[in-house]
Amino acid sequence: MQSARKLGENIERIEALGHRLVAAFREKAMPNPGVEGPGPDLVLTAANAWMKTLAEQPTRLIEQQVNYWGETLQNYSAAQRALTGMQGPADDGQPITDKRFKNPLWQTHPYFSYVRKQYLTNVRAFQDTMDELDLPDQVARRRVDWLTRQIVDMMSPTNFLATNPDALERAVETEGESLVRGLENLVRDVELNGGEMVVSLADREAFTVGENIGTAEGSVVYQTSLFELIQYKPTTDQVHATPMLIFPPWINKFYILDLKPQNSLIRWLVGQGHSLFVVSWKNPDAAYAEIGIDDYIAAYLDAMDKVRELTEQPKLNVVGYCIAGTTLSLTLALLNKLGDERVNSATLLTTLTDFSDHGEFTAYLHDDFVNGIVEEVERHGLMRAQLMSRTMSFLRANDLVWGPAIRSYMLGETPPAFDLLYWNGDSTNLPGRMALQYLRGLCQRNEFAGQGFEVMGRRVHLGDVATPLCAVACETDHIAPWSDCWRGVAAMGSADKTFILSESGHIAGIVNPPTKMKYGHYADGDGFDRGHDHWRESSTFTEGSWWPRWGDWLADRAGAMVPAREISGEISPAPGSYVHERAV
């Protein structure tokens, strides 16, 4: 009786949720095919390559198909014998390392064992065919590989209820409650994202910036239409004379550097005796459509001037993270052209300046996708946060798209209270003009490393960067590959330059406090004249964080110790107001 009542209640909930879901999908904006997938030219390129292989080497394709048919029949025959009780599922002798198939039923149950093996057979056949295509160039090869990976990941049996044992077991255990909760999660995400199905990676209610993350004590001391300047309260009696200014990327919020007290780079730097200032960027709306790279560089110079004014110091040390490091490099090149020596030293964190190799972004930096972004900008005035977030997520689709969707929509789990994933979901818009200048001029045409990139009426080159600098890259960074970061630094004109390679990726390799002893780093490689591989082979590996090594480097360039500078002229307490603005 109780089960019947619960079933009736769930049916009513599903009906109500269904109406909400339909209403939410009606809010979806007109689709833009240019950013939904690759253009027809990629399909035509692959088809032409396949036809060429068929004409020139027909036996190779026939052999592939025969092998595929043979393996498929073997999988079916083994499944049939297992299902009729003649024998258990055939063990292929291979340990399952793919976490998608960690449920024991993928090996022990005849049905799921068959589904898994046939999926892997399909994957091998598809990938082998794509791998052997005679494509015209490396760009086509990377684009085809990217599309192949997307299709393979999307078609995993774990992404479908009928072939996901975890979801089916949970549904039975909860008498269908997990599926209802999953539908509630789906409706919530579609409603939050204007009719788009974007899975929430973290619990939005678990964190509040300024309360349980981003809590380092400080004050907004300057505000413009593009940024707020935060000065952090000193925690030492004395500080270095030369102040420090951090430019975080405006693709995300600055509090990645201050998630928790124990892994806060901001708190660590203040504790090292630096007068620390950090820029918090405005999350732009359509009114910022015409803001370009020159406007951001003007903001850099404005922030530097304000720090020098507040500290009464002629020079300062600066840091740029990711795209903010790219723009900082442009700024340094411009200052050198102008004979302006305000920057004492610069640190670049996971910064790309030479885009001659697009790596995993090749698929996104081809004209079909960039033209789609042009249409987005013309329509909205922005490269919207949702598109940027989705683009990044599909570089690691299993971890950032399909896996979270399974847990949320099929298993009915609440998104985790994980500060890093919360930050990852707190995305920002990009001004339309700036986004296109970056994609066209820097990424596609590689002007900074080539013919020169125009900044405030002057053409600047990588070789114009002459400031003493330290660059930090991360070993498994898929956004800014360390070899590409290294290549840009190698081309810079600075006589004093240091390169550090941290273990781990784009975020974990940077947010790597000394107390954890989690990831080590490489340093002291043999110069910049013999390529990144030689630098790596000649470098020395050290256990633990790179922060102390960088701290020593900074201390040598931060001047004598002076009495700590107290904050004056507070506009509002840190973390300010701009950080709370969510993209819409």
Side-chain angles (χ1 to χ4, degrees):
M1 188 70 178
Q2 185 176 358
S3 295
R5 185 166 53 251
K6 184 177 179 63
L7 177 61
E9 292 172 353
N10 282 339
I11 290 173
E12 289 181 5
R13 290 165 64 191
I14 289 172
E15 184 176 358
L17 288 166
H19 289 309
R20 283 176 56 192
L21 186 61
V22 171
F25 276 133
R26 290 198 188 107
E27 299 299 317
K28 182 177 180 179
M30 288 292 293
N32 178 358
V35 296
E36 298 295 332
D41 65 306
L42 179 59
V43 178
L44 183 62
T45 297
N48 287 339
W50 190 86
M51 292 298 295
K52 179 182 178 183
T53 303
L54 179 62
E56 296 177 353
Q57 303 178 58
T59 56
R60 189 169 74 178
L61 291 181
I62 293 173
E63 182 181 358
Q64 283 180 346
Q65 286 301 303
V66 169
N67 289 337
Y68 170 70
W69 294 338
E71 191 171 338
T72 297
L73 288 173
Q74 288 177 2
N75 292 340
Y76 175 75
S77 178
Q80 188 178 45
R81 290 195 301 272
L83 287 166
T84 56
M86 296 175 60
Q87 67 180 56
D91 187 353
D92 55 18
Q94 298 295 322
I96 296 180
T97 57
D98 190 330
K99 62 184 179 182
R100 293 176 297 178
F101 302 114
K102 65 182 180 181
N103 190 311
L105 289 176
W106 288 113
Q107 286 184 303
T108 61
H109 193 284
Y111 169 68
F112 291 112
S113 176
Y114 168 68
V115 168
R116 176 180 65 88
K117 289 177 182 177
Q118 188 56 43
Y119 168 70
L120 296 177
T121 296
N122 294 343
V123 168
R124 283 194 296 272
F126 189 33
Q127 287 183 328
D128 288 348
T129 300
M130 295 298 104
D131 288 346
E132 294 188 13
L133 292 181
D134 184 12
L135 296 168
D137 52 40
Q138 187 64 23
V139 170
R141 165 52 57 197
R142 284 181 171 174
R143 297 182 75 214
V144 166
D145 288 347
W146 174 86
L147 183 58
T148 300
R149 188 169 67 250
Q150 298 305 319
I151 294 172
V152 163
D153 290 344
M154 179 178 64
M155 296 309 296
S156 169
T158 53
N159 295 339
F160 303 91
L161 178 61
T163 51
N164 187 316
D166 295 301
L168 293 172
E169 285 182 324
R170 182 70 60 84
V172 171
E173 290 170 0
T174 63
E175 298 181 326
E177 178 68 21
S178 60
L179 297 180
V180 179
R181 290 199 303 265
L183 182 56
E184 289 175 339
N185 292 340
L186 173 61
V187 172
R188 176 207 62 215
D189 286 344
V190 175
E191 288 177 340
L192 284 173
N193 292 283
E196 297 280 353
M197 194 169 69
V198 180
V199 62
S200 294
L201 298 180
D203 184 356
R204 282 196 175 194
E205 306 302 320
F207 300 99
T208 301
V209 181
E211 293 184 11
N212 55 0
I213 52 175
T215 59
E217 192 172 356
S219 302
V220 174
V221 293
Y222 185 56
Q223 184 184 68
T224 73
S225 60
L226 200 54
F227 70 92
E228 290 178 326
L229 181 66
I230 300 172
Q231 181 178 1
Y232 284 92
K233 184 176 180 179
T235 58
T236 56
D237 293 334
Q238 291 192 314
V239 296
H240 290 282
T242 304
M244 187 175 187
L245 172 59
I246 297 179
F247 295 101
W250 51 92
I251 291 176
N252 294 103
K253 304 287 183 66
F254 81 90
Y255 64 87
I256 185 60
L257 302 175
D258 186 36
L259 287 176
K260 298 176 182 175
Q262 57 267 35
N263 66 1
S264 169
L265 181 59
I266 285 173
R267 289 176 184 265
W268 185 83
L269 285 167
V270 172
Q272 299 299 304
H274 292 283
S275 291
L276 182 63
F277 296 79
V278 176
V279 164
S280 174
W281 297 104
K282 176 77 173 178
N283 197 345
D285 56 25
Y288 287 72
E290 291 303 314
I291 295 295
I293 287 180
D294 276 1
D295 297 292
Y296 277 94
I297 290 177
Y300 276 50
L301 299 176
D302 188 16
M304 291 180 192
D305 284 338
K306 190 62 180 180
V307 170
R308 293 194 299 161
E309 174 192 326
L310 290 171
T311 60
E312 299 181 338
Q313 291 292 311
K315 293 189 175 187
L316 72 170
N317 294 321
V318 293
V319 180
Y321 191 176
C322 190
I323 190 176
T326 306
T327 313
L328 176 58
S329 300
L330 292 170
T331 306
L332 296 175
L334 174 65
L335 290 174
N336 184 36
K337 286 266 191 179
L338 298 174
D340 189 323
E341 299 181 347
R342 71 178 68 189
V343 175
N344 188 59
S345 78
T347 299
L348 306 176
L349 306 179
T350 63
T351 293
L352 293 173
T353 50
D354 181 341
F355 294 86
S356 55
D357 187 342
H358 293 156
E360 293 194 41
F361 281 92
T362 298
Y364 295 125
L365 292 175
H366 202 266
D367 277 342
D368 52 2
F369 189 74
V370 176
N371 289 342
I373 294 176
V374 172
E375 293 178 19
E376 283 282 299
V377 168
E378 290 174 349
R379 184 184 301 177
H380 303 287
L382 302 164
M383 184 172 178
R384 294 179 298 165
Q386 190 180 87
L387 175 58
M388 174 64 70
S389 179
R390 188 182 67 184
T391 299
M392 295 297 184
S393 293
F394 273 99
L395 291 175
R396 292 292 182 270
N398 284 330
D399 293 330
L400 296 176
V401 180
W402 306 121
I406 289 168
R407 291 189 292 273
S408 187
Y409 306 151
M410 288 193 200
L411 300 178
E413 296 177 359
T414 301
F418 186 13
D419 57 355
L420 180 57
L421 289 179
Y422 175 88
W423 168 84
N424 190 69
D426 190 9
S427 300
T428 58
N429 299 316
L430 300 183
R433 185 180 182 190
M434 172 267 143
L436 296 183
Q437 287 176 323
Y438 179 80
L439 291 172
R440 294 291 198 199
L442 290 172
C443 296
Q444 284 193 310
R445 296 194 291 268
N446 197 26
E447 291 176 352
F448 193 27
Q451 65 187 25
F453 187 84
E454 187 170 312
V455 175
M456 295 183 169
R458 292 176 179 266
R459 193 163 292 276
V460 297
H461 302 77
L462 270 177
D464 294 326
V465 178
T467 310
L469 63 89
C470 177
V472 184
C474 300
E475 190 174 26
T476 58
D477 192 337
H478 64 285
I479 295 173
W482 81 266
S483 56
D484 298 338
C485 296
W486 187 96
R487 187 173 60 251
V489 172
M492 292 179 179
S494 305
D496 173 9
K497 52 188 177 184
T498 296
F499 192 84
I500 299 172
L501 176 62
S502 174
E503 290 185 312
S504 196
H506 192 72
I507 301 299
I510 297 299
V511 184
N512 180 24
T515 52
K516 289 191 174 182
M517 289 297 291
K518 193 169 184 180
Y519 303 116
H521 62 279
Y522 300 84
D524 301 326
D526 184 17
F528 293 88
D529 299 326
R530 299 173 63 182
H532 66 274
D533 286 332
H534 175 77
W535 180 92
R536 169 70 176 272
E537 291 169 2
S538 63
S539 65
T540 301
F541 178 77
T542 302
E543 295 283 351
S545 172
W546 56 271
W547 292 10
R549 181 185 295 271
W550 180 51
D552 292 340
W553 186 90
L554 283 172
D556 290 342
R557 294 161 178 79
M561 304 303 289
V562 299
R565 301 179 176 102
E566 294 301 323
I567 299 173
S568 62
E570 177 182 274
I571 297 173
S572 64
S577 60
Y578 286 176
V579 73
H580 295 294
E581 298 174 347
R582 297 193 72 94
V584 293

